[in-house]
Amino acid sequence: MTTIEQMGAKAKIAAATLATAGEKKNQALEAIAKALKEQSAKILEANKIDLENGKQNGLSQALLDRLMLNEARIEGIAQGVLEVAAFPDPIGTVISGGTRPNGLKITKVRVPMGVIGIIFEARPNVTADAAVLCLKSGNAVILRGGKEAINSNKCIADIMREAVKSAGLDENCIQLIEDTSRASSTELMGLTQYLDVLIPRGGKGLIRAVVENAKVPVIETGAGNCHTYVDEYADIDMAANIIFNAKTSRPSVCNAIETILVHKAVAEKALPAIKARLDEKNVELRGCERTREILGDCVIPATESDWETEYGDYILAVKVVDSFDEAVAHITKYSSGHSECIITDNYKNAKLFTQVIDCAAVYVNASTRFTDGGVFGLGAEIGISTQKLHARGPMGLNELTSMKFIIEGDGQVR
């Protein structure tokens, strides 16, 4: 057996014990939170190595921000673990049930998926977030992070495994693949004997590679080509504030916007106001011809690829549209199905936008940055699903479960 196959076999055994672990899962989560805080200096030392390597390898400032940990972020991760521990255990929850005319009692209950694989990029917080959600929902997890965060990931995974063991559970319910070569990803994608589902967390390229090459079932997450449409009935100050937040608060995350669409009726007033806010963070604008006519040569001419791109950086595409319908058509063509927003004081347009836009989260007069498991009351999420089957939007505990039917009889035959 290869190393990854051995990990799969161990995960299968660990998953079987988690299915009936009950309160021990919460004890393990509390131990993880405590250990992460107590050993924060060790984590930061490992993270420092990753950051230095990232700078030497030319990572963008936005990617370095995703990679970076500090005391506050580690405290936030630990707090997220405790929040997950405080949630009700989904395992064994009765979804529905009843008694059939022949006397059979049929109950549908939540059960763990089993073994979950997660492939992610340069975000070491995912190592903890994903592991604790899988643990609480009764699943073993095999993590495969990117090379950019390997030292941070190893440190966090080792700390969590020791904490799980101290709580009396099998530490192999959390495993990290330390080989960051493409070969390890490919092997994990084909681990059909042991893996029940694979979840990619990262950019569009990673997600596409997993979806196209995986032999195990995949839940698509993360690709965020998100838009904000400034309607002709928009409050301009509100629009500028929302766009500033949605683009610049953390441009590298999947719920940051990448394109704004501005109705022609308000473009001459709205665009300068929006640009003034974006200039505070030196956001590069790539716009259509009408945008450039209003804002001048400081706007780079937009190409077709700009409408398709998830920048993950301080870059924003801008287009002036003739109508509500044109804005909807543009979003429909280029959206990744993550989060879309309209800014308007017109109730009819707001209502219609929520009905016709087909994505996981549709906003009216609020920043797309709220698409997050914690904000939605789900705790730390495993990712934002942009597909429709099984799960959509922030994936919390319930989305990491499957279901089974329990049938009780007293001798019935068919």
Side-chain angles (χ1 to χ4, degrees), residues 1-22:
M1 296 177 77
T2 67
T3 300
I4 292 178
E5 285 174 332
Q6 291 173 356
M7 294 174 76
K10 291 176 182 177
K12 204 78 171 177
I13 294 170
T17 65
L18 283 180
T20 56

PDB file of all heavy atoms in Angstrom, residues 1-22:
ATOM      1  N   MET A   1       0.837  -1.203   0.000  1.00  0.00           N
ATOM      2  CA  MET A   1       0.000   0.000   0.000  1.00  0.00           C
ATOM      3  C   MET A   1       0.872   1.253   0.000  1.00  0.00           C
ATOM      4  O   MET A   1       1.919   1.299   0.636  1.00  0.00           O
ATOM      5  CB  MET A   1      -0.905   0.038   1.239  1.00  0.00           C
ATOM      6  CG  MET A   1      -1.928  -1.078   1.315  1.00  0.00           C
ATOM      7  SD  MET A   1      -2.880  -0.998   2.861  1.00  0.00           S
ATOM      8  CE  MET A   1      -3.990   0.341   2.499  1.00  0.00           C
ATOM      9  N   THR A   2       0.411   2.270  -0.719  1.00  0.00           N
ATOM     10  CA  THR A   2       1.109   3.555  -0.686  1.00  0.00           C
ATOM     11  C   THR A   2       0.817   4.261   0.645  1.00  0.00           C
ATOM     12  O   THR A   2      -0.079   3.859   1.398  1.00  0.00           O
ATOM     13  CB  THR A   2       0.648   4.457  -1.834  1.00  0.00           C
ATOM     14  OG1 THR A   2      -0.723   4.815  -1.618  1.00  0.00           O
ATOM     15  CG2 THR A   2       0.790   3.756  -3.178  1.00  0.00           C
ATOM     16  N   THR A   3       1.565   5.327   0.901  1.00  0.00           N
ATOM     17  CA  THR A   3       1.344   6.098   2.129  1.00  0.00           C
ATOM     18  C   THR A   3      -0.076   6.627   2.199  1.00  0.00           C
ATOM     19  O   THR A   3      -0.726   6.572   3.254  1.00  0.00           O
ATOM     20  CB  THR A   3       2.341   7.267   2.201  1.00  0.00           C
ATOM     21  OG1 THR A   3       3.664   6.747   2.209  1.00  0.00           O
ATOM     22  CG2 THR A   3       2.110   8.099   3.455  1.00  0.00           C
ATOM     23  N   ILE A   4      -0.586   7.135   1.094  1.00  0.00           N
ATOM     24  CA  ILE A   4      -1.939   7.703   1.086  1.00  0.00           C
ATOM     25  C   ILE A   4      -2.988   6.608   1.239  1.00  0.00           C
ATOM     26  O   ILE A   4      -4.012   6.803   1.914  1.00  0.00           O
ATOM     27  CB  ILE A   4      -2.156   8.539  -0.186  1.00  0.00           C
ATOM     28  CG1 ILE A   4      -1.255   9.792  -0.127  1.00  0.00           C
ATOM     29  CG2 ILE A   4      -3.622   8.950  -0.344  1.00  0.00           C
ATOM     30  CD1 ILE A   4      -1.330  10.691  -1.336  1.00  0.00           C
ATOM     31  N   GLU A   5      -2.752   5.452   0.666  1.00  0.00           N
ATOM     32  CA  GLU A   5      -3.673   4.335   0.871  1.00  0.00           C
ATOM     33  C   GLU A   5      -3.687   3.915   2.335  1.00  0.00           C
ATOM     34  O   GLU A   5      -4.752   3.594   2.898  1.00  0.00           O
ATOM     35  CB  GLU A   5      -3.268   3.149  -0.014  1.00  0.00           C
ATOM     36  CG  GLU A   5      -3.613   3.338  -1.482  1.00  0.00           C
ATOM     37  CD  GLU A   5      -3.072   2.211  -2.344  1.00  0.00           C
ATOM     38  OE1 GLU A   5      -2.045   1.595  -1.979  1.00  0.00           O
ATOM     39  OE2 GLU A   5      -3.674   1.931  -3.398  1.00  0.00           O
ATOM     40  N   GLN A   6      -2.534   3.907   2.962  1.00  0.00           N
ATOM     41  CA  GLN A   6      -2.461   3.589   4.387  1.00  0.00           C
ATOM     42  C   GLN A   6      -3.242   4.606   5.209  1.00  0.00           C
ATOM     43  O   GLN A   6      -3.941   4.260   6.171  1.00  0.00           O
ATOM     44  CB  GLN A   6      -1.002   3.540   4.843  1.00  0.00           C
ATOM     45  CG  GLN A   6      -0.216   2.357   4.285  1.00  0.00           C
ATOM     46  CD  GLN A   6       1.266   2.436   4.620  1.00  0.00           C
ATOM     47  OE1 GLN A   6       1.740   3.402   5.216  1.00  0.00           O
ATOM     48  NE2 GLN A   6       2.015   1.406   4.231  1.00  0.00           N
ATOM     49  N   MET A   7      -3.132   5.878   4.825  1.00  0.00           N
ATOM     50  CA  MET A   7      -3.900   6.909   5.508  1.00  0.00           C
ATOM     51  C   MET A   7      -5.397   6.673   5.334  1.00  0.00           C
ATOM     52  O   MET A   7      -6.184   6.852   6.281  1.00  0.00           O
ATOM     53  CB  MET A   7      -3.512   8.287   4.974  1.00  0.00           C
ATOM     54  CG  MET A   7      -2.086   8.693   5.294  1.00  0.00           C
ATOM     55  SD  MET A   7      -1.595  10.252   4.509  1.00  0.00           S
ATOM     56  CE  MET A   7      -2.449  11.411   5.547  1.00  0.00           C
ATOM     57  N   GLY A   8      -5.782   6.274   4.133  1.00  0.00           N
ATOM     58  CA  GLY A   8      -7.193   5.984   3.883  1.00  0.00           C
ATOM     59  C   GLY A   8      -7.700   4.846   4.743  1.00  0.00           C
ATOM     60  O   GLY A   8      -8.802   4.916   5.305  1.00  0.00           O
ATOM     61  N   ALA A   9      -6.909   3.791   4.865  1.00  0.00           N
ATOM     62  CA  ALA A   9      -7.301   2.642   5.681  1.00  0.00           C
ATOM     63  C   ALA A   9      -7.445   3.047   7.152  1.00  0.00           C
ATOM     64  O   ALA A   9      -8.397   2.652   7.838  1.00  0.00           O
ATOM     65  CB  ALA A   9      -6.277   1.528   5.533  1.00  0.00           C
ATOM     66  N   LYS A  10      -6.509   3.836   7.644  1.00  0.00           N
ATOM     67  CA  LYS A  10      -6.584   4.315   9.032  1.00  0.00           C
ATOM     68  C   LYS A  10      -7.797   5.219   9.237  1.00  0.00           C
ATOM     69  O   LYS A  10      -8.458   5.158  10.285  1.00  0.00           O
ATOM     70  CB  LYS A  10      -5.302   5.072   9.385  1.00  0.00           C
ATOM     71  CG  LYS A  10      -4.054   4.204   9.479  1.00  0.00           C
ATOM     72  CD  LYS A  10      -2.823   5.067   9.742  1.00  0.00           C
ATOM     73  CE  LYS A  10      -1.555   4.224   9.789  1.00  0.00           C
ATOM     74  NZ  LYS A  10      -0.339   5.065   9.971  1.00  0.00           N
ATOM     75  N   ALA A  11      -8.076   6.057   8.244  1.00  0.00           N
ATOM     76  CA  ALA A  11      -9.224   6.961   8.347  1.00  0.00           C
ATOM     77  C   ALA A  11     -10.531   6.179   8.404  1.00  0.00           C
ATOM     78  O   ALA A  11     -11.454   6.547   9.140  1.00  0.00           O
ATOM     79  CB  ALA A  11      -9.240   7.928   7.162  1.00  0.00           C
ATOM     80  N   LYS A  12     -10.604   5.106   7.637  1.00  0.00           N
ATOM     81  CA  LYS A  12     -11.818   4.275   7.619  1.00  0.00           C
ATOM     82  C   LYS A  12     -12.080   3.688   9.002  1.00  0.00           C
ATOM     83  O   LYS A  12     -13.216   3.665   9.487  1.00  0.00           O
ATOM     84  CB  LYS A  12     -11.659   3.157   6.589  1.00  0.00           C
ATOM     85  CG  LYS A  12     -12.960   2.597   6.055  1.00  0.00           C
ATOM     86  CD  LYS A  12     -13.558   3.511   5.018  1.00  0.00           C
ATOM     87  CE  LYS A  12     -14.741   2.854   4.313  1.00  0.00           C
ATOM     88  NZ  LYS A  12     -15.366   3.764   3.345  1.00  0.00           N
ATOM     89  N   ILE A  13     -11.020   3.226   9.648  1.00  0.00           N
ATOM     90  CA  ILE A  13     -11.151   2.661  10.989  1.00  0.00           C
ATOM     91  C   ILE A  13     -11.555   3.747  11.988  1.00  0.00           C
ATOM     92  O   ILE A  13     -12.445   3.562  12.826  1.00  0.00           O
ATOM     93  CB  ILE A  13      -9.826   2.002  11.422  1.00  0.00           C
ATOM     94  CG1 ILE A  13      -9.531   0.784  10.531  1.00  0.00           C
ATOM     95  CG2 ILE A  13      -9.867   1.595  12.896  1.00  0.00           C
ATOM     96  CD1 ILE A  13      -8.141   0.211  10.709  1.00  0.00           C
ATOM     97  N   ALA A  14     -10.907   4.900  11.884  1.00  0.00           N
ATOM     98  CA  ALA A  14     -11.213   6.010  12.796  1.00  0.00           C
ATOM     99  C   ALA A  14     -12.649   6.488  12.616  1.00  0.00           C
ATOM    100  O   ALA A  14     -13.333   6.816  13.595  1.00  0.00           O
ATOM    101  CB  ALA A  14     -10.235   7.151  12.562  1.00  0.00           C
ATOM    102  N   ALA A  15     -13.124   6.525  11.370  1.00  0.00           N
ATOM    103  CA  ALA A  15     -14.485   6.984  11.100  1.00  0.00           C
ATOM    104  C   ALA A  15     -15.521   6.094  11.780  1.00  0.00           C
ATOM    105  O   ALA A  15     -16.535   6.576  12.277  1.00  0.00           O
ATOM    106  CB  ALA A  15     -14.736   7.040   9.594  1.00  0.00           C
ATOM    107  N   ALA A  16     -15.232   4.806  11.812  1.00  0.00           N
ATOM    108  CA  ALA A  16     -16.170   3.866  12.447  1.00  0.00           C
ATOM    109  C   ALA A  16     -16.314   4.153  13.935  1.00  0.00           C
ATOM    110  O   ALA A  16     -17.401   4.027  14.511  1.00  0.00           O
ATOM    111  CB  ALA A  16     -15.705   2.436  12.220  1.00  0.00           C
ATOM    112  N   THR A  17     -15.225   4.566  14.586  1.00  0.00           N
ATOM    113  CA  THR A  17     -15.292   4.872  16.017  1.00  0.00           C
ATOM    114  C   THR A  17     -15.982   6.215  16.271  1.00  0.00           C
ATOM    115  O   THR A  17     -16.638   6.395  17.297  1.00  0.00           O
ATOM    116  CB  THR A  17     -13.881   4.900  16.637  1.00  0.00           C
ATOM    117  OG1 THR A  17     -13.122   5.984  16.068  1.00  0.00           O
ATOM    118  CG2 THR A  17     -13.146   3.594  16.369  1.00  0.00           C
ATOM    119  N   LEU A  18     -15.844   7.160  15.331  1.00  0.00           N
ATOM    120  CA  LEU A  18     -16.464   8.476  15.507  1.00  0.00           C
ATOM    121  C   LEU A  18     -17.986   8.415  15.424  1.00  0.00           C
ATOM    122  O   LEU A  18     -18.684   9.240  16.031  1.00  0.00           O
ATOM    123  CB  LEU A  18     -15.958   9.447  14.439  1.00  0.00           C
ATOM    124  CG  LEU A  18     -14.567  10.041  14.624  1.00  0.00           C
ATOM    125  CD1 LEU A  18     -14.257  10.980  13.461  1.00  0.00           C
ATOM    126  CD2 LEU A  18     -14.476  10.804  15.935  1.00  0.00           C
ATOM    127  N   ALA A  19     -18.501   7.445  14.689  1.00  0.00           N
ATOM    128  CA  ALA A  19     -19.944   7.362  14.475  1.00  0.00           C
ATOM    129  C   ALA A  19     -20.711   7.228  15.788  1.00  0.00           C
ATOM    130  O   ALA A  19     -21.873   7.625  15.884  1.00  0.00           O
ATOM    131  CB  ALA A  19     -20.276   6.190  13.552  1.00  0.00           C
ATOM    132  N   THR A  20     -20.058   6.672  16.814  1.00  0.00           N
ATOM    133  CA  THR A  20     -20.714   6.483  18.109  1.00  0.00           C
ATOM    134  C   THR A  20     -19.957   7.186  19.233  1.00  0.00           C
ATOM    135  O   THR A  20     -20.104   6.834  20.401  1.00  0.00           O
ATOM    136  CB  THR A  20     -20.832   4.983  18.433  1.00  0.00           C
ATOM    137  OG1 THR A  20     -19.518   4.379  18.394  1.00  0.00           O
ATOM    138  CG2 THR A  20     -21.725   4.271  17.423  1.00  0.00           C
ATOM    139  N   ALA A  21     -19.147   8.182  18.880  1.00  0.00           N
ATOM    140  CA  ALA A  21     -18.288   8.829  19.881  1.00  0.00           C
ATOM    141  C   ALA A  21     -19.049   9.734  20.840  1.00  0.00           C
ATOM    142  O   ALA A  21     -18.595   9.991  21.957  1.00  0.00           O
ATOM    143  CB  ALA A  21     -17.182   9.617  19.188  1.00  0.00           C
ATOM    144  N   GLY A  22     -20.190  10.274  20.402  1.00  0.00           N
ATOM    145  CA  GLY A  22     -21.012  11.088  21.290  1.00  0.00           C
ATOM    146  C   GLY A  22     -20.276  12.273  21.888  1.00  0.00           C
ATOM    147  O   GLY A  22     -19.616  13.050  21.192  1.00  0.00           O
TER     148      GLY A  22
END
